[in-house]
Amino acid sequence: MNNLAKYREKNRAAWNEATTLHLRNPNNPLGRVLQGGCSLARVEREELGDVRGRRLIHLLCNCGHDTLSLARLGARCTGVDIADEAIAAARSAAAVLGLPVRFIRSDVYDLALDEHFDIVYVGKGALYWLDDFAEFARIVARLLAPGGRVYVYEEHSLLPFMLELDPTAYNPASGDLNYFHDVEPTSSVGLDYVGLSGEGTKRSYEWQWTLGDIVTGFAQAGLRIEFLHEWPFISSFKYWDWLEEREDEGAFHIPADKPQLPLSFSLQARRD
Ligand SMILES: C[S@@+](CC[C@H](N)C(=O)[O-])C[C@H]1O[C@@H](n2cnc3c(N)ncnc32)[C@H](O)[C@@H]1O
């Protein structure tokens, strides 16, 4: 097993533990979806547009809350995640909801799927678990049918530095940070950002990717960038207490009287 494969296995173990902790909390997003809610942010619903009948694959789908929300909107969904516990929870939720969603437990880098999709969807705390973005972009390009698109809604690459510079922020991965990618990951313990139980999980490993790495990765994989939007709001987590929650948007906003900085971005790229 090479070094990167070792890190992926460590992350799998950490995410198995984290998932168990997350599912213990009644406010976990899968619980909300099981009660009839939709876990997608408004920006995602608007930018994804009409997904009815579309073949959609959600990479790094965790417990499948967003995958199931997309299936409710009419997409023909497949979800992929490395964590056994996350895929088990996703499968049982799909059965309870009676939604025909396929969930595959796999490292995204080992995904053995000889199929094409209209939409590859990924985001909300996903890209920094990838250790090789160029290879990930090539996998995405291979999964896309001609005319298909990848849609990403993700934490902004500058976010770790905003957290690092502000002691009032929730900053689980605090440490030596560079804006630029380093093959050596940063690491942290305790992935219970749902319940904030303070309970430890095994050490997990993350990689920084700049906006340039992400755009260039997709472009060099042969995809045509259609848009890159930066947003002064975020949906993955309320990193600062003072962010304003807008429930109808599924997002936490920087208040209007504070400097508007980019907390997230969305990107779409197409296979011609
Ligand atoms: C923060 S969650 C993903 C975000 C998801 N959109 C959500 O809202 O929960 C990160 C997920 O990435 C998965 N993951 C990490 N490395 C992976 C890999 N190499 N292949 C597939 N899944 C991976 C983890 O198991 C975890 O479920």
Side-chain angles (χ1 to χ4, degrees):
M1 200 185 272
N2 65 28
N3 251 351
L4 291 179
K6 279 188 194 145
Y7 283 131
R8 293 174 198 162
E9 276 308 303
K10 286 174 194 277
N11 282 345
R12 174 183 181 176
W15 274 104
N16 276 335
E17 288 182 343
T19 302
T20 308
L21 292 174
H22 293 175
L23 292 173
R24 232 191 253 166
N25 188 294
N27 287 328
N28 78 76
L30 184 61
R32 294 203 299 274
V33 171
L34 280 166
Q35 283 161 20
C38 173
S39 59
L40 298 166
R42 189 165 88 186
V43 65
E44 297 178 282
R45 292 196 302 270
E46 288 179 357
E47 293 189 327
L48 277 164
D50 186 357
V51 295
R52 279 176 299 176
R54 299 282 170 218
R55 295 164 295 175
L56 184 151
I57 187 162
H58 180 187
L59 301 177
L60 290 82
C61 69
N62 192 246
C63 295
H65 40 277
D66 289 333
T67 333
L68 294 164
S69 298
L70 286 158
R72 274 216 185 100
L73 294 176
R76 292 152 55 197
C77 290
T78 299
V80 178
D81 200 279
I82 199 168
D84 315 67
E85 298 296 333
I87 288 299
R91 284 183 182 147
S92 93
V96 168
L97 295 171
L99 289 168
V101 178
R102 172 178 54 166
F103 285 104
I104 300 173
R105 200 227 57 83
S106 173
D107 181 343
V108 71
Y109 291 103
D110 296 335
L111 188 58
L113 207 52
D114 191 16
E115 284 176 46
H116 287 121
F117 295 84
D118 304 303
I119 302 172
V120 174
Y121 163 72
V122 63
K124 289 195 285 196
L127 297 190
Y128 45 78
W129 298 103
L130 300 168
D131 51 68
D132 183 344
F133 193 82
E135 175 59 11
F136 175 74
R138 287 190 288 271
I139 290 167
V140 167
R142 280 199 296 275
L143 287 168
L144 284 172
R149 60 196 162 119
V150 54
Y151 177 76
V152 180
Y153 171 50
E154 187 53 286
E155 296 181 357
H156 200 282
S157 305
L158 279 173
L159 186 72
F161 305 94
M162 297 186 206
L163 303 180
E164 192 69 10
L165 292 173
D166 181 350
T168 67
Y170 174 77
N171 189 8
S174 173
D176 291 337
L177 289 172
N178 289 308
Y179 177 68
F180 297 99
H181 175 73
D182 189 334
V183 286
E184 288 305 320
T186 55
S187 75
S188 60
V189 287
L191 277 172
D192 187 13
Y193 55 84
V194 174
L196 297 177
S197 64
E199 287 185 51
T201 57
K202 292 189 173 69
R203 188 162 287 277
S204 61
Y205 298 85
E206 299 174 23
W207 290 263
Q208 163 74 355
W209 298 105
T210 68
L211 276 191
D213 294 330
I214 295 164
V215 170
T216 305
F218 285 132
Q220 292 191 339
L223 303 179
R224 181 170 48 81
I225 307 297
E226 290 192 329
F227 60 74
L228 170 63
H229 296 143
E230 294 167 281
W231 304 108
F233 56 77
I234 190 162
S235 299
S236 48
F237 189 75
K238 191 177 185 186
Y239 285 99
W240 288 273
D241 279 346
W242 44 262
L243 290 179
E244 289 173 355
E245 179 164 13
R246 296 196 194 157
E247 275 189 34
D248 57 327
E249 293 186 23
F252 303 103
H253 279 249
I254 296 182
D257 62 348
K258 287 193 183 285
Q260 300 294 297
L261 294 165
L263 300 184
S264 65
F265 71 92
S266 56
L267 174 152
Q268 183 161 284
R270 196 171 292 274
R271 177 177 168 194
D272 286 325

